[in-house]
Short mmCIF file of all heavy atoms in Angstrom, two decimals:
data_model
loop_
_atom_site.label_atom_id
_atom_site.label_comp_id
_atom_site.label_asym_id
_atom_site.label_seq_id
_atom_site.Cartn_x
_atom_site.Cartn_y
_atom_site.Cartn_z
N LEU K 141 385.63 62.65 265.65
CA LEU K 141 384.32 63.26 265.84
C LEU K 141 384.15 63.79 267.26
O LEU K 141 383.56 64.86 267.47
CB LEU K 141 383.22 62.26 265.50
CG LEU K 141 382.98 62.02 264.01
CD1 LEU K 141 382.03 60.84 263.80
CD2 LEU K 141 382.42 63.27 263.34
N GLU K 142 384.66 63.06 268.24
CA GLU K 142 384.55 63.53 269.62
C GLU K 142 385.41 64.77 269.83
O GLU K 142 385.00 65.71 270.51
CB GLU K 142 384.97 62.41 270.59
CG GLU K 142 384.67 62.74 272.04
CD GLU K 142 384.83 61.55 272.96
OE1 GLU K 142 384.45 60.43 272.56
OE2 GLU K 142 385.34 61.74 274.08
N LEU K 143 386.60 64.78 269.24
CA LEU K 143 387.47 65.95 269.33
C LEU K 143 386.81 67.17 268.71
O LEU K 143 386.82 68.28 269.29
CB LEU K 143 388.79 65.64 268.63
CG LEU K 143 389.81 66.78 268.52
CD1 LEU K 143 390.25 67.24 269.90
CD2 LEU K 143 391.02 66.31 267.70
N TYR K 144 386.24 67.00 267.53
CA TYR K 144 385.55 68.10 266.85
C TYR K 144 384.36 68.57 267.69
O TYR K 144 384.10 69.78 267.81
CB TYR K 144 385.09 67.63 265.47
CG TYR K 144 384.91 68.72 264.44
CD1 TYR K 144 384.79 68.39 263.09
CD2 TYR K 144 384.83 70.07 264.78
CE1 TYR K 144 384.63 69.37 262.11
CE2 TYR K 144 384.67 71.06 263.82
CZ TYR K 144 384.56 70.70 262.49
OH TYR K 144 384.40 71.68 261.53
N GLU K 145 383.65 67.63 268.30
CA GLU K 145 382.49 68.00 269.12
C GLU K 145 382.92 68.79 270.35
O GLU K 145 382.22 69.72 270.78
CB GLU K 145 381.71 66.75 269.53
CG GLU K 145 380.42 67.07 270.27
CD GLU K 145 379.55 65.86 270.54
OE1 GLU K 145 379.56 64.92 269.72
OE2 GLU K 145 378.87 65.85 271.58
N VAL K 146 384.06 68.43 270.94
CA VAL K 146 384.58 69.21 272.06
C VAL K 146 384.78 70.65 271.63
O VAL K 146 384.43 71.59 272.36
CB VAL K 146 385.90 68.60 272.58
CG1 VAL K 146 386.60 69.57 273.54
CG2 VAL K 146 385.65 67.28 273.28
N PHE K 147 385.34 70.85 270.44
CA PHE K 147 385.56 72.21 269.94
C PHE K 147 384.26 72.96 269.76
O PHE K 147 384.12 74.11 270.20
CB PHE K 147 386.34 72.17 268.63
CG PHE K 147 386.36 73.49 267.92
CD1 PHE K 147 387.16 74.52 268.38
CD2 PHE K 147 385.57 73.71 266.80
CE1 PHE K 147 387.17 75.76 267.74
CE2 PHE K 147 385.58 74.94 266.15
CZ PHE K 147 386.37 75.97 266.62
N VAL K 148 383.27 72.34 269.09
CA VAL K 148 382.03 73.09 268.80
C VAL K 148 381.23 73.34 270.07
O VAL K 148 380.55 74.37 270.18
CB VAL K 148 381.17 72.38 267.73
CG1 VAL K 148 381.92 72.28 266.42
CG2 VAL K 148 380.71 71.01 268.19
N ARG K 149 381.30 72.43 271.04
CA ARG K 149 380.59 72.68 272.30
C ARG K 149 381.26 73.82 273.06
O ARG K 149 380.59 74.57 273.80
CB ARG K 149 380.55 71.42 273.15
CG ARG K 149 379.55 70.39 272.67
CD ARG K 149 379.42 69.21 273.63
NE ARG K 149 378.46 68.23 273.17
CZ ARG K 149 377.14 68.30 273.34
NH1 ARG K 149 376.63 69.33 274.00
NH2 ARG K 149 376.34 67.36 272.89
N GLY K 150 382.56 73.94 272.91
CA GLY K 150 383.27 75.05 273.55
C GLY K 150 383.15 76.36 272.80
O GLY K 150 383.47 77.42 273.33
N ASN K 151 382.68 76.28 271.54
CA ASN K 151 382.50 77.47 270.70
C ASN K 151 381.13 77.38 270.03
O ASN K 151 381.03 77.22 268.81
CB ASN K 151 383.61 77.54 269.65
CG ASN K 151 384.99 77.66 270.26
OD1 ASN K 151 385.47 78.76 270.55
ND2 ASN K 151 385.64 76.53 270.49
N PRO K 152 380.07 77.46 270.81
CA PRO K 152 378.72 77.16 270.30
C PRO K 152 378.28 78.03 269.12
O PRO K 152 377.53 77.55 268.26
CB PRO K 152 377.81 77.38 271.52
CG PRO K 152 378.61 78.20 272.46
CD PRO K 152 380.03 77.82 272.24
N LEU K 153 378.74 79.27 269.04
CA LEU K 153 378.32 80.12 267.93
C LEU K 153 378.81 79.58 266.59
O LEU K 153 378.27 79.96 265.53
CB LEU K 153 378.83 81.55 268.14
CG LEU K 153 378.18 82.31 269.31
CD1 LEU K 153 378.84 83.67 269.50
CD2 LEU K 153 376.68 82.46 269.09
N PHE K 154 379.78 78.70 266.61
CA PHE K 154 380.30 78.08 265.38
C PHE K 154 379.19 77.34 264.63
O PHE K 154 379.20 77.28 263.40
CB PHE K 154 381.44 77.13 265.75
CG PHE K 154 382.05 76.42 264.58
CD1 PHE K 154 382.97 77.06 263.77
CD2 PHE K 154 381.73 75.09 264.30
CE1 PHE K 154 383.54 76.40 262.67
CE2 PHE K 154 382.28 74.43 263.22
CZ PHE K 154 383.20 75.09 262.41
N LEU K 155 378.24 76.77 265.39
CA LEU K 155 377.15 76.01 264.78
C LEU K 155 375.84 76.81 264.72
O LEU K 155 374.78 76.23 264.53
CB LEU K 155 376.92 74.70 265.54
CG LEU K 155 378.01 73.64 265.46
CD1 LEU K 155 377.55 72.36 266.14
CD2 LEU K 155 378.40 73.36 264.02
N MET K 156 375.93 78.12 264.87
CA MET K 156 374.72 78.94 264.86
C MET K 156 374.73 79.96 263.75
O MET K 156 373.96 80.92 263.76
CB MET K 156 374.53 79.65 266.20
CG MET K 156 374.39 78.71 267.38
SD MET K 156 374.05 79.61 268.91
CE MET K 156 374.36 78.33 270.13
N LYS K 157 375.62 79.79 262.76
CA LYS K 157 375.73 80.77 261.69
C LYS K 157 374.63 80.57 260.66
O LYS K 157 374.20 79.45 260.40
CB LYS K 157 377.10 80.65 261.02
CG LYS K 157 378.27 80.88 261.96
CD LYS K 157 379.60 80.58 261.27
CE LYS K 157 380.77 80.74 262.23
NZ LYS K 157 382.06 80.38 261.58
N GLY K 158 374.16 81.66 260.06
CA GLY K 158 373.19 81.57 258.98
C GLY K 158 371.76 81.79 259.44
O GLY K 158 371.42 81.66 260.62
N ASP K 159 370.90 82.07 258.46
CA ASP K 159 369.50 82.37 258.75
C ASP K 159 368.76 81.18 259.34
O ASP K 159 367.79 81.35 260.10
CB ASP K 159 368.79 82.83 257.48
CG ASP K 159 369.28 84.19 257.00
OD1 ASP K 159 369.89 84.92 257.81
OD2 ASP K 159 369.07 84.51 255.81
N ASP K 160 369.17 79.98 259.00
CA ASP K 160 368.48 78.79 259.49
C ASP K 160 368.55 78.66 261.00
O ASP K 160 367.72 77.96 261.61
CB ASP K 160 369.06 77.52 258.85
CG ASP K 160 368.73 77.41 257.38
OD1 ASP K 160 367.82 78.13 256.92
OD2 ASP K 160 369.37 76.60 256.68
N TYR K 161 369.52 79.32 261.60
CA TYR K 161 369.74 79.13 263.04
C TYR K 161 369.46 80.39 263.85
O TYR K 161 369.92 80.52 264.98
CB TYR K 161 371.17 78.62 263.29
CG TYR K 161 371.41 77.31 262.58
CD1 TYR K 161 372.19 77.25 261.43
CD2 TYR K 161 370.79 76.15 263.03
CE1 TYR K 161 372.38 76.06 260.75
CE2 TYR K 161 370.96 74.96 262.35
CZ TYR K 161 371.76 74.91 261.22
OH TYR K 161 371.93 73.73 260.55
N LYS K 162 368.64 81.30 263.29
CA LYS K 162 368.23 82.48 264.05
C LYS K 162 367.50 82.09 265.34
O LYS K 162 367.76 82.67 266.40
CB LYS K 162 367.33 83.37 263.18
CG LYS K 162 368.10 84.23 262.19
CD LYS K 162 367.14 85.15 261.44
CE LYS K 162 367.90 86.06 260.47
NZ LYS K 162 366.96 86.94 259.73
N PRO K 163 366.54 81.12 265.30
CA PRO K 163 365.88 80.73 266.55
C PRO K 163 366.85 80.17 267.58
O PRO K 163 366.69 80.42 268.79
CB PRO K 163 364.88 79.66 266.09
CG PRO K 163 364.65 79.96 264.65
CD PRO K 163 365.96 80.45 264.12
N LEU K 164 367.87 79.44 267.12
CA LEU K 164 368.85 78.89 268.05
C LEU K 164 369.68 80.00 268.68
O LEU K 164 369.95 79.98 269.89
CB LEU K 164 369.76 77.88 267.32
CG LEU K 164 370.81 77.17 268.18
CD1 LEU K 164 370.15 76.38 269.31
CD2 LEU K 164 371.64 76.23 267.31
N ARG K 165 370.06 80.99 267.89
CA ARG K 165 370.83 82.12 268.45
C ARG K 165 369.98 82.90 269.45
O ARG K 165 370.49 83.34 270.49
CB ARG K 165 371.30 83.04 267.32
CG ARG K 165 372.36 82.41 266.42
CD ARG K 165 373.09 83.46 265.58
NE ARG K 165 372.23 84.19 264.67
CZ ARG K 165 371.92 83.79 263.43
NH1 ARG K 165 372.40 82.63 262.98
NH2 ARG K 165 371.14 84.52 262.65
N ALA K 166 368.70 83.06 269.13
CA ALA K 166 367.82 83.78 270.06
C ALA K 166 367.68 83.01 271.37
O ALA K 166 367.72 83.60 272.46
CB ALA K 166 366.45 83.98 269.42
N ALA K 167 367.56 81.70 271.27
CA ALA K 167 367.45 80.88 272.48
C ALA K 167 368.75 80.92 273.28
O ALA K 167 368.73 80.92 274.51
CB ALA K 167 367.12 79.44 272.09
N PHE K 168 369.87 81.00 272.59
CA PHE K 168 371.17 81.09 273.25
C PHE K 168 371.28 82.39 274.04
O PHE K 168 371.73 82.40 275.19
CB PHE K 168 372.28 81.00 272.19
CG PHE K 168 373.67 81.12 272.74
CD1 PHE K 168 374.21 80.14 273.55
CD2 PHE K 168 374.44 82.24 272.44
CE1 PHE K 168 375.50 80.25 274.05
CE2 PHE K 168 375.73 82.37 272.93
CZ PHE K 168 376.26 81.36 273.74
N ARG K 169 370.83 83.49 273.43
CA ARG K 169 370.89 84.78 274.12
C ARG K 169 369.94 84.83 275.31
O ARG K 169 370.22 85.50 276.31
CB ARG K 169 370.56 85.90 273.13
CG ARG K 169 371.63 86.14 272.07
CD ARG K 169 371.37 87.43 271.32
NE ARG K 169 370.12 87.37 270.56
CZ ARG K 169 370.04 86.98 269.29
NH1 ARG K 169 371.15 86.59 268.65
NH2 ARG K 169 368.89 86.96 268.66
N ALA K 170 368.81 84.10 275.22
CA ALA K 170 367.81 84.13 276.29
C ALA K 170 368.08 83.09 277.37
O ALA K 170 367.34 83.03 278.36
CB ALA K 170 366.42 83.91 275.69
N MET K 171 369.11 82.29 277.20
CA MET K 171 369.34 81.16 278.10
C MET K 171 369.46 81.58 279.56
O MET K 171 369.05 80.85 280.47
CB MET K 171 370.61 80.43 277.65
CG MET K 171 370.99 79.23 278.48
SD MET K 171 372.42 78.35 277.79
CE MET K 171 373.61 79.66 277.56
N GLY K 172 370.02 82.74 279.81
CA GLY K 172 370.21 83.18 281.19
C GLY K 172 369.00 83.84 281.82
O GLY K 172 369.07 84.26 282.98
N ASP K 173 367.89 83.88 281.11
CA ASP K 173 366.71 84.58 281.64
C ASP K 173 365.93 83.75 282.66
O ASP K 173 365.13 84.29 283.41
CB ASP K 173 365.76 84.97 280.50
CG ASP K 173 366.38 86.05 279.60
OD1 ASP K 173 367.41 86.63 280.00
OD2 ASP K 173 365.84 86.27 278.49
N GLY K 174 366.13 82.44 282.65
CA GLY K 174 365.39 81.61 283.59
C GLY K 174 365.57 80.14 283.27
O GLY K 174 366.15 79.76 282.24
N GLU K 175 365.02 79.28 284.14
CA GLU K 175 365.19 77.84 283.97
C GLU K 175 364.51 77.33 282.72
O GLU K 175 365.05 76.48 282.00
CB GLU K 175 364.62 77.11 285.20
CG GLU K 175 364.74 75.60 285.16
CD GLU K 175 366.18 75.10 285.18
OE1 GLU K 175 367.10 75.91 285.47
OE2 GLU K 175 366.40 73.90 284.92
N ALA K 176 363.32 77.84 282.43
CA ALA K 176 362.59 77.39 281.24
C ALA K 176 363.36 77.73 279.98
O ALA K 176 363.44 76.92 279.04
CB ALA K 176 361.20 78.03 281.21
N GLU K 177 363.97 78.92 279.95
CA GLU K 177 364.75 79.33 278.78
C GLU K 177 366.00 78.47 278.63
O GLU K 177 366.40 78.11 277.52
CB GLU K 177 365.13 80.80 278.89
CG GLU K 177 363.99 81.77 278.69
CD GLU K 177 363.11 81.92 279.94
OE1 GLU K 177 363.43 81.29 280.99
OE2 GLU K 177 362.10 82.63 279.87
N ARG K 178 366.61 78.15 279.76
CA ARG K 178 367.81 77.30 279.72
C ARG K 178 367.47 75.92 279.18
O ARG K 178 368.18 75.38 278.31
CB ARG K 178 368.43 77.18 281.11
CG ARG K 178 369.72 76.35 281.13
CD ARG K 178 370.18 76.07 282.56
NE ARG K 178 369.22 75.23 283.27
CZ ARG K 178 369.15 73.91 283.14
NH1 ARG K 178 369.96 73.27 282.30
NH2 ARG K 178 368.25 73.22 283.82
N VAL K 179 366.39 75.32 279.67
CA VAL K 179 365.98 73.99 279.22
C VAL K 179 365.64 74.01 277.74
O VAL K 179 365.99 73.09 276.99
CB VAL K 179 364.79 73.49 280.06
CG1 VAL K 179 364.20 72.21 279.46
CG2 VAL K 179 365.22 73.26 281.50
#
Side-chain angles (χ1 to χ4, degrees):
L141 283 170
E142 189 169 321
L143 176 61
Y144 205 165
E145 185 173 328
V146 168
F147 168 74
V148 298
R149 285 186 180 278
N151 298 272
L153 292 176
F154 180 79
L155 292 186
M156 299 184 194
K157 300 173 183 177
D159 292 342
D160 290 345
Y161 300 106
K162 281 184 178 179
L164 183 59
R165 292 196 298 273
F168 178 68
R169 290 192 295 269
M171 180 175 52
D173 293 348
E175 180 65 13
E177 288 79 3
R178 182 189 65 80
V179 171

